[in-house]
Amino acid sequence: MTAGPDTAIVLAAGLGKRMRPITDTIPKPLVRIAGKTLLDWGLDSLAAAGIGKAVVNVHYFPEQIVAHVAARRVPKIIISDESERLLDSAGGIVKALPELGEKPFYILNADTFWIDQGPLNLQRLALAWDAAKMDILLMLADLHQATGHCGSTDFLVAPDGALRRSKGDPAGLIYAGAAIVHPRMFKHAPVGPHSLNAYFDTAIAAGRLFGMPMQGHWITVGTPDAIPLAEAAVAGALDESR
């Protein structure tokens, strides 16, 4: 086991097309669930886990996100501006690498969040991280602890936590939009738009993609009709945790 991250990147640059008409006027990360923006759900989780610095990448209505995070003190926010060209998940990370440093860092999706139950999931992820055998460690959710997920599963977990693609196997788990990655994964990365998903396959091939099942309730908000379901899930999960 090795030291956990102290920096993060929150992927907030997407177009949010499935959230229209709401996203005709605001970026998806500023959609509110239970009175809090999707972006703040993620940033608050990082703050609670003691993360001091977070890069937030922006593309769609970037000035709204910049204005929204301006008042935050923890974590300290660094904006990675993709206004001129949307770089996709991995391209956005590669652009932000100078700010993320040479140590492992968290990656969070800005359109998913969770309600912790027990120890904080990001702290659990840090405790599970082992740079000697891992290049990427994913937080995973069970289908039964998820709200808003319309697809199938993503990964099957071996007894030692190593992952392989589930190809929809119902025994698999969902990638829950939070991970720890070592920046060495991007040493030879191209500059420009490309997806993080390909890096998962690279790590699988090397036996260095691992996963940790989360505790609590995981929520993804893909369309406007998912908002009331998400708010009900938040209310229910908070009641359970009290």
Side-chain angles (χ1 to χ4, degrees):
M1 190 167 62
T2 48
D6 52 22
T7 61
I9 181 168
V10 182
L11 301 175
L15 299 174
K17 291 180 179 178
R18 292 172 59 228
M19 284 295 289
R20 290 175 177 165
I22 295 172
T23 49
D24 286 341
T25 54
I26 63 170
K28 185 177 179 182
L30 297 189
V31 171
R32 291 183 180 270
I33 302 296
K36 186 191 294 192
T37 68
L38 289 168
L39 180 57
D40 283 322
W41 279 106
L43 291 172
D44 286 352
S45 291
L46 290 169
I51 302 307
K53 175 181 172 182
V55 176
V56 176
N57 68 342
V58 296
H59 172 79
Y60 184 63
F61 289 127
E63 70 288 346
Q64 293 190 31
I65 294 178
V66 171
H68 181 80
V69 301
R72 282 199 79 102
R73 295 292 173 263
V74 183
K76 177 186 177 184
I77 304 297
I78 306 294
I79 296 293
S80 181
D81 190 353
E82 298 177 24
S83 301
E84 294 183 3
R85 187 186 191 196
L86 185 59
L87 294 173
D88 204 346
S89 50
I93 293 167
V94 170
K95 177 179 170 63
L97 283 176
E99 289 289 351
L100 293 167
E102 298 180 0
K103 298 197 307 183
F105 55 86
Y106 287 110
I107 300 169
L108 263 63
N109 290 344
D111 58 354
T112 64
F113 67 99
W114 61 92
I115 306 296
D116 292 301
Q117 194 169 53
L120 300 180
N121 282 295
L122 290 183
Q123 291 181 338
R124 294 180 58 240
L125 205 64
L127 288 171
W129 171 254
D130 184 348
K133 69 176 184 179
M134 302 173 184
D135 286 330
I136 305 174
L137 175 63
L138 305 181
M139 190 172 86
L140 303 170
D142 187 293
L143 287 168
H144 301 295
Q145 65 188 144
T147 292
H149 182 71
C150 301
S152 56
T153 64
D154 298 310
F155 297 101
L156 290 169
V157 188
D160 67 349
L163 301 183
R164 59 187 173 91
R165 296 284 183 180
S166 68
K167 300 177 181 175
D169 187 325
L173 298 178
I174 309 159
Y175 171 44
I180 296 174
V181 64
H182 198 290
R184 62 182 166 231
M185 282 298 291
F186 304 102
K187 185 175 182 180
H188 302 294
V191 175
H194 64 293
S195 173
L196 187 60
N197 209 31
Y199 292 85
F200 295 167
D201 289 328
T202 300
I204 288 173
R208 297 181 64 83
L209 183 72
F210 284 75
M212 182 207 75
M214 65 165 290
Q215 295 174 352
H217 199 89
W218 181 71
I219 299 164
T220 179
V221 185
T223 57
D225 58 7
I227 292 175
L229 298 175
E231 294 191 325
V234 169
L238 289 176
D239 284 345
E240 286 178 18
S241 64
R242 288 190 179 109

